[in-house]
Amino acid sequence: MAAPSVAVLIASTTLPLVYLVWQSLRSTNLAMPGMDHFVGAENYLRLWHDGRFWDAFGFTIIYTGSTVGLQLVLGLALALLILQIPRAQWAFRTVAILPIVLSPVVVGLFWRTLLLTPDFGIVDFASRALGLGSHNWLGDPLLARISVTAIHTWQWTPFVFLYLLAALSTLPADLYEAARIDRANAWRRFTNITLPLIRPAIVMVVILRMTVALSAFAAIYAATGGGPGTATEIINLLAYRVSFAELSLGYGAAVAVVLLVVTMVVAALLFRLRRAL
Amino acid sequence: MVVAAMLLSIWVVPILWAIITSLKNEKEVLAYPPTVIFTPTLHNFHEVLFGPTNIVSYLTSSIVLATSTTVLTVLLAVPAAYSFARLKLPAKKPMSFYVLATQLVPPIGLIIPYYLILNRVGWLDSYKGLVLIYLTFSLPFAIWLLVSYFEDIPREMEEAALIDRASRLQAFWHVVLPQARGAIGVTVIFVFLNAWNEFLFAVVLGGSNVSPVTVAMYNYINTEQTQWAQLAAAALIAMLPVIALGIAAQRHIVSGLSAGSVKGVTRR
Amino acid sequence: MKKNSRATGPTRRRVLQQAAAFGSAIAGAPWIARYVHAQSFDLGAYQSAKINWRIAEGQSINVAVIPASYFDNLIAVTPEFEALTGIKVRYDKVPPGQIRQKVVLDLSSKTGNISTHAGDPMYLPLYAANKWTEVLEPYLNDPQLTDKGWFRYEDIFEAWRKADMIDGKTYAIPYNGEMTIQTYRKDLYDAKGLKAAETFDEIVSNAKAIHNPAERLWGFCLRGMPGAGQNMYIYPSISGAFGAKWFDAAGKIKVNSPEALAALEWYVTTNNTYAPQAAQNWNWPDIADAFAQGTIGCYIDGHSAVTVIANPERSKVMGKIGFARWPKGPGGKRVSSIWNWAMPINAAMPEKARHATWLFIQWAACEETQARTSYKFKGPGKRFDLNRLSMWKLPDYLETMKNAGSNFVKASLDSLDLDTDVDWRPRVPQWPAIGETMGKIIQSALVGQVKPKQALDDAQQQVERIMSGA
């Protein structure tokens, strides 16, 4: 039953992969097509020495780590809170769906112009009203990095919230009764009972969110285009800019391959973690 | 309760702002300080749905694309995932990891080969071509999601059915599938959403025939100006089909999400 | 189970597709019907041309354009073309951020899908070097395809025609274009007795006089968004005015000459002092929006912004706008941009298709169609960016432009006539990469990530690498 679809699947995903790796071993510049030639590992060597690549690499790690971490903490906190108010849950669940289904491109654009533009956006307006002053949220490199992380976290935390809320709702209440009888306080109850029980759910949602964060493209592109300068370039965006904007396909392919390897390693580690539980 | 409400507002406010923006005149949109009291107008929605650059044809394009992708994905993924879960294939673990890993390939690397391949078979700018490409990333994802749920369904129930002289197919259809309803619901939502919001592949591999709503947004961000109010209206309308699907499948999703993750633990 | 569901699957999809087609037919019909029923087409003006418009009857062409009102108008009148020639036209609206890449992909893989497109003239050297698009002289000179007396190619703005020529050969025909001009708040200037700036120093002094951020008025603003078509659309004008040359004596590209440095320093300092912080990330629609809200005193950018700032539905500064040319640099030179959307012919198509495409281009660029998408257009949003000099002087056109602002037509025409220079940006095939690279670096300088001198030296290094073919 499975064989044909799996076969087609493997063929359709492996072939482009092979092409990608082959492409990364050549120097291909669309501006000068006659000059395509095999360069072996030269693109990778250039990558190794390219400061812009390492900046992107570093930022990708920080970005992915912080957004997934934040999503987890916020989502879990929200889920625990809302768990206590069963009657209002439907309202929260409905609202939570909305950011998730918005097109990331639109999210990036809206945040950029309507919310974050200094002197014009409502976030800026709010921060002034709160006495925090106005800042160049997307124009200052550090603030821009924080902003894009915030945008991604804003869009996807509801997902974590929904997922964990569902997981938490299925925990049997008698376990807690027993703990209360033993006079364990809320924190102990949380760490000793809740956390271990939903750990698989947490790992699952972390895997899902991490793969999305690593391949995030549309929202950052719409919000900053990778700027200012190259401050908010994650590897995926770097690959795009190099391949399409600078027409340097070989180098872009090399960047893409590196991203793939990194993603696979991270995913493999997380998988191990899940199986071990 | 208060804390929850405050946290909730972080998500509600921007969405509310988008809704408010879609009801404003263009002049009002960028007013500063931002106005909350104004005379609302439905003009933007009217323009977006019936005006000269309306998004209706784009919406139908998106619906066809996303629905076809979802239907085909489910049809192909469910049997494949079931086999993975049940049959004792020797290379199971690495295979399922490979299935997931292949969909982690950055889209940038794939655009050009896909473009060339589709062009070779003449499927550029056609639904069958684009659905095929969408399948390459929705199918692995769906299979990966479903496998873990199928693994969690105890074999005893099927075996009972088999002993009652049901064929494997009947056992699957009548016993296993109802239990996997939740998982399938989750898969449907994810696949639909991914297909619905896809932009890069759609813009490069599509064209005048296949033009989903993600590309249409840019009609409002044209070279001379950005029509914020209309963009907001268009974005809100574009959200509706997915929300509708989400609400319809919500029951299944909640049971599906919890079943796979927690049940596996409590069994131990 | 397998057989059943496989049977319902495709059928369901087919039904959906039919429903979708039906639905879109219903949705699109009223508006188109309204147009079609408005008149049976008056094609007399076209048929007076001494060519056989139906020479490529039955062909089908694909035109890629960006979403823009000036193309929407063309799309709206396309049924006339189809009736005239029997050629079917399909449009593919691609966002400006993706259209160049999509076209390059089609051209470089010779898939021949996009017959013609809204082309960026800075990409023409790339097209020409690779022979991806046709040289157009044979088409222009072929009496079977072009009635030269009727088409009057020389009537199209010379600057744009030149910009679309490489090595003396034409590669694309301008459909529309723009120039960059100084735009300022005439009311504010008059109140303080100021005049439009004639020199860069005057820009600064004017800005200083009206700069009042506490009251949400910024003195002067230029765009900062990175990109070949974004901040690299403005910076070359500044560096050109300061006397910088793109090529050094040996014919190699040099971007870090002392003049270029002076220009970048002016750009950075002025934008940091008088422009809102947000401008470092702004593109022209953002500036136009801000000006329309009354928060900018003066800016220099494309004249097409009149769609926003002179639009009563969007602008709070109607009737308060003045226009002027770029100021003079230290050497007395003014440099405006040359921008036009130009239509080339994809060389990877069969002959009949190329003829059909040429007929389309000729139709789009001819005077009658330019008029029908502008002052003769029946919808809102009449085009003003016509491609022919003679049309800018027609009373009908001037009537349409009356409300734009003081001195609009003269400033625009003078800029186009006197201040443009075809080599205002280096016309080399590697331009896309160079433009992108420099755009990023300039923005880094604007936000203070790097000092202008360092920025230009870095840029020089990267440009050298690009030119050497890495």
Side-chain angles (χ1 to χ4, degrees):
Chain A
M1 257 200 283
S5 51
V6 170
V8 165
L9 189 72
I10 293 193
S12 67
T13 43
T14 313
L15 284 175
L17 205 66
V18 167
Y19 181 87
L20 187 70
V21 173
W22 174 78
Q23 182 76 281
S24 71
L25 297 173
R26 296 167 59 84
S27 161
T28 309
N29 193 321
L30 275 185
M32 292 167 295
M35 296 181 54
D36 284 11
H37 56 282
F38 184 78
V39 292
E42 190 185 299
N43 282 325
Y44 291 97
L45 272 176
R46 194 173 126 205
L47 210 61
W48 187 259
H49 292 289
D50 188 356
R52 184 173 165 204
F53 170 74
W54 289 110
D55 282 342
F57 191 79
F59 179 61
T60 307
I61 296 189
I62 297 178
Y63 169 80
T64 308
S66 35
T67 184
V68 175
L70 275 172
Q71 286 177 43
L72 192 56
V73 167
L74 285 174
L76 190 54
L78 261 176
L80 286 170
L81 270 173
I82 305 302
L83 197 59
Q84 323 276 9
I85 342 168
R87 263 173 296 140
Q89 266 183 31
W90 67 270
F92 286 88
R93 286 222 295 258
T94 316
V95 169
I97 299 186
L98 299 176
I100 303 176
V101 303
L102 265 179
S103 163
V105 168
V106 177
V107 170
L109 279 173
F110 260 52
W111 273 84
R112 172 175 172 259
T113 304
L114 293 184
L115 276 72
L116 289 175
T117 310
D119 306 315
F120 293 88
I122 61 172
V123 164
D124 198 70
F125 180 69
S127 90
R128 278 211 227 192
L130 290 173
L132 295 172
S134 166
H135 297 278
N136 201 347
W137 305 99
L138 289 176
D140 172 74
L142 178 61
L143 283 179
R145 289 174 164 176
I146 297 181
S147 297
V148 295
T149 312
I151 296 176
H152 190 99
T153 309
W154 177 83
Q155 182 164 24
W156 296 108
T157 303
F159 179 91
V160 179
F161 159 68
L162 283 174
Y163 197 85
L164 292 178
L165 184 63
L168 286 170
S169 327
T170 62
L171 294 181
D174 20 319
L175 280 176
Y176 291 102
E177 275 315 303
R180 226 167 304 204
I181 291 175
D182 285 345
R183 270 178 291 149
N185 67 23
W187 179 252
R188 299 278 318 275
R189 287 206 299 272
F190 177 67
T191 46
N192 286 15
I193 301 179
T194 317
L195 217 43
L197 280 178
I198 56 170
R199 204 158 26 187
I202 291 184
V203 175
M204 179 73 150
V205 84
V206 165
I207 295 181
L208 285 172
R209 298 319 335 147
M210 192 154 282
T211 49
V212 168
L214 276 170
S215 59
F217 171 79
I220 303 187
Y221 186 66
T224 62
T230 56
T232 55
E233 254 181 3
I234 56 171
I235 298 189
N236 203 12
L237 197 48
L238 172 64
Y240 177 81
R241 276 173 131 183
V242 168
S243 300
F244 276 152
E246 296 173 21
L247 301 177
S248 192
L249 295 180
Y251 193 59
V255 175
V257 169
V258 169
L259 175 61
L260 176 63
V261 168
V262 168
T263 314
M264 279 172 62
V265 165
V266 170
L269 284 174
L270 288 172
F271 250 69
R272 283 291 165 75
L273 204 61
R274 181 166 183 258
R275 295 211 182 284
L277 290 171
Chain B
M1 184 70 177
V2 171
V3 176
M6 265 171 44
L7 279 174
L8 190 68
S9 63
I10 301 181
W11 283 277
V12 171
V13 166
I15 307 254
L16 215 53
W17 192 248
I19 299 181
I20 292 179
T21 305
S22 68
L23 295 169
K24 286 186 176 174
N25 279 316
E26 285 295 339
K27 230 196 276 194
E28 278 288 312
V29 173
L30 296 169
Y32 194 93
T35 56
V36 185
I37 322 249
F38 58 95
T39 32
T41 166
L42 285 177
H43 174 75
N44 299 309
F45 286 98
H46 186 264
E47 277 300 298
V48 162
L49 286 172
F50 303 111
T53 48
N54 70 70
I55 59 169
V56 174
S57 58
Y58 296 95
L59 275 175
T60 41
S61 189
S62 281
I63 292 179
V64 172
L65 203 49
T67 313
S68 318
T69 307
T70 311
V71 166
L72 282 175
T73 304
V74 170
L75 285 179
L76 293 172
V78 167
Y82 178 67
S83 326
F84 266 136
R86 286 289 176 259
L87 308 177
K88 293 177 176 46
L89 299 169
K92 207 162 87 157
K93 276 208 173 80
M95 261 252 272
S96 76
F97 178 71
Y98 181 76
V99 164
L100 174 70
T102 51
Q103 71 131 8
L104 299 173
V105 178
I108 289 317
L110 300 172
I111 286 251
I112 296 180
Y114 283 161
Y115 182 85
L116 295 173
I117 293 174
L118 279 187
N119 186 66
R120 182 63 61 87
V121 295
W123 281 7
L124 264 184
D125 191 21
S126 72
Y127 283 107
K128 39 185 196 285
L130 223 53
V131 169
L132 184 67
I133 300 299
Y134 279 24
L135 278 177
T136 64
F137 53 83
S138 63
L139 205 49
F141 181 69
I143 293 180
W144 176 70
L145 259 189
L146 288 169
V147 165
S148 54
Y149 288 110
F150 277 124
E151 279 177 347
D152 285 341
I153 296 177
R155 289 166 199 260
E156 295 81 45
M157 300 190 63
E158 287 156 77
E159 263 142 44
L162 287 172
I163 289 176
D164 284 347
R165 272 178 287 142
S167 72
R168 204 162 190 71
L169 217 50
Q170 283 172 316
F172 179 71
W173 181 251
H174 292 285
V175 173
V176 178
L177 223 42
Q179 294 215 28
R181 230 180 9 186
I184 297 185
V186 175
T187 311
V188 163
I189 287 283
F190 278 133
V191 171
F192 190 85
L193 186 61
N194 268 336
W196 186 263
N197 279 339
E198 177 55 46
F199 173 69
L200 197 59
F201 283 117
V203 84
V204 176
L205 303 172
S208 44
N209 279 326
V210 180
S211 219
V213 83
T214 38
V215 178
M217 299 294 175
Y218 279 90
N219 286 348
Y220 302 105
I221 312 166
N222 60 40
T223 24
E224 307 126 312
Q225 53 176 319
T226 305
Q227 295 162 294
W228 292 107
Q230 290 188 17
L231 179 63
L236 288 169
I237 295 181
M239 279 167 65
L240 292 177
V242 191
I243 295 183
L245 190 62
I247 295 183
Q250 217 195 40
R251 249 186 327 125
H252 299 295
I253 294 177
V254 173
S255 65
L257 281 178
S258 49
S261 44
V262 182
K263 226 163 64 172
V265 181
T266 49
R267 251 192 330 151
R268 242 161 275 164
Chain C
M1 178 227 132
K2 247 196 312 189
K3 291 206 186 69
N4 289 345
S5 42
R6 288 261 164 81
T8 50
T11 319
R12 200 170 5 165
R13 177 157 56 121
R14 225 178 293 133
V15 169
L16 274 171
Q17 280 176 335
Q18 284 166 349
F22 186 70
S24 48
I26 299 237
W31 181 72
I32 296 179
R34 238 183 292 138
Y35 183 79
V36 167
H37 286 257
Q39 79 282 46
S40 60
F41 304 124
D42 169 18
L43 301 173
Y46 297 108
Q47 273 148 356
S48 65
K50 298 189 201 39
I51 58 170
N52 177 10
W53 284 102
R54 302 200 79 94
I55 208 175
E57 192 169 359
Q59 288 283 319
S60 189
I61 62 173
N62 215 12
V63 180
V65 296
I66 52 163
S69 64
Y70 39 83
F71 283 119
D72 285 338
N73 290 7
L74 188 67
I75 296 176
V77 301
T78 301
E80 292 182 12
F81 174 75
E82 292 179 330
L84 176 67
T85 60
I87 300 174
K88 180 114 187 52
V89 181
R90 308 197 63 111
Y91 285 97
D92 185 10
K93 279 197 191 174
V94 186
Q98 277 75 37
I99 190 171
R100 294 166 179 83
Q101 285 82 32
K102 188 164 182 183
V103 168
V104 167
L105 193 53
D106 176 52
L107 291 175
S108 64
S109 40
K110 297 209 184 344
T111 43
N113 284 319
I114 301 179
S115 317
T116 182
H117 62 278
D120 177 346
M122 293 305 299
Y123 275 63
L124 289 179
L126 178 62
Y127 298 172
N130 294 314
K131 298 204 180 23
W132 289 337
T133 60
E134 297 273 283
V135 175
L136 295 181
E137 264 73 15
Y139 292 85
L140 277 169
N141 296 327
D142 180 346
Q144 298 244 309
L145 291 176
T146 312
D147 179 349
K148 286 182 115 164
W150 175 84
F151 186 55
R152 286 185 297 126
Y153 180 56
E154 309 69 39
D155 187 27
I156 300 181
F157 282 112
E158 185 184 354
W160 294 345
R161 279 187 285 123
K162 286 253 192 62
D164 296 339
M165 287 173 77
I166 316 280
D167 290 335
K169 297 199 257 235
T170 308
Y171 280 88
I173 307 286
Y175 168 72
N176 73 331
E178 68 167 16
M179 61 291 282
T180 44
I181 51 179
Q182 205 186 138
T183 311
Y184 61 94
R185 288 282 300 279
K186 192 152 191 318
D187 56 327
L188 296 177
Y189 276 32
D190 285 346
K192 299 233 167 165
L194 301 171
K195 299 248 266 276
E198 289 277 308
T199 66
F200 280 79
D201 289 335
E202 277 176 28
I203 291 263
V204 175
S205 59
N206 280 351
K208 194 158 176 200
I210 59 175
H211 187 60
N212 193 353
E215 298 282 314
R216 292 179 58 77
L217 178 66
W218 283 268
F220 178 70
C221 185
L222 287 174
R223 59 164 98 161
M225 183 171 247
Q230 288 75 37
N231 58 10
M232 277 304 280
Y233 185 65
I234 297 290
Y235 170 72
S237 288
I238 306 179
S239 66
F242 273 72
K245 300 228 171 304
W246 285 104
F247 295 93
D248 65 9
K252 290 165 61 75
I253 297 202
K254 187 165 175 56
V255 301
N256 55 355
S257 61
E259 295 89 5
L261 181 57
L264 186 58
E265 281 173 349
W266 187 88
Y267 193 0
V268 171
T269 318
T270 316
N271 236 29
N272 279 329
T273 319
Y274 296 108
Q277 269 187 71
Q280 323 308 3
N281 214 15
W282 272 358
N283 212 356
W284 70 99
D286 304 304
I287 297 190
D289 279 338
F291 188 85
Q293 290 288 318
T295 55
I296 307 276
C298 169
Y299 74 92
I300 307 182
D301 214 293
H303 80 308
S304 54
V306 288
T307 336
V308 173
I309 61 182
N311 180 349
E313 277 180 30
R314 289 184 75 122
S315 172
K316 293 188 176 166
V317 298
M318 289 286 298
K320 302 184 187 168
I321 316 172
F323 297 92
R325 292 156 68 183
W326 268 87
K328 290 189 266 222
K333 193 166 179 221
R334 301 183 208 247
V335 180
S336 176
S337 67
I338 295 193
W339 176 261
N340 65 86
W341 286 112
M343 299 192 171
I345 299 185
N346 190 336
M349 296 188 298
E351 189 184 28
K352 259 278 169 79
R354 281 182 272 133
H355 287 171
T357 310
W358 171 252
L359 288 177
F360 173 78
I361 298 178
Q362 190 182 170
W363 169 80
C366 76
E367 178 170 353
E368 184 59 29
T369 311
Q370 295 277 319
R372 289 191 186 192
T373 51
S374 167
Y375 49 88
K376 286 193 191 172
F377 187 62
K378 292 174 183 34
K382 304 179 189 333
R383 275 184 59 206
F384 56 86
D385 47 356
L386 305 175
N387 64 1
R388 287 154 184 276
L389 181 56
S390 62
M391 297 185 82
W392 278 67
K393 307 202 171 118
L394 292 176
D396 283 330
Y397 175 75
L398 291 172
E399 181 64 28
T400 321
M401 291 320 296
K402 179 165 71 154
N403 289 323
S406 146
N407 200 24
F408 176 70
V409 173
K410 183 164 193 325
S412 307
L413 285 181
D414 282 346
S415 299
L416 198 48
D417 210 8
L418 307 165
D419 302 336
T420 55
D421 174 1
V422 158
D423 290 306
W424 141 84
R425 296 194 285 191
R427 307 210 296 154
V428 293
Q430 297 86 347
W431 164 255
I434 295 179
E436 283 301 312
T437 308
M438 286 200 68
K440 261 192 311 282
I441 292 184
I442 290 182
Q443 199 206 27
S444 301
L446 281 173
V447 300
Q449 241 184 337
V450 62
K451 293 243 168 297
K453 174 131 189 29
Q454 181 67 39
L456 286 181
D457 288 338
D458 285 343
Q460 178 65 23
Q461 241 189 356
Q462 297 203 29
V463 168
E464 276 170 17
R465 186 181 43 79
I466 293 174
M467 292 304 289
S468 69

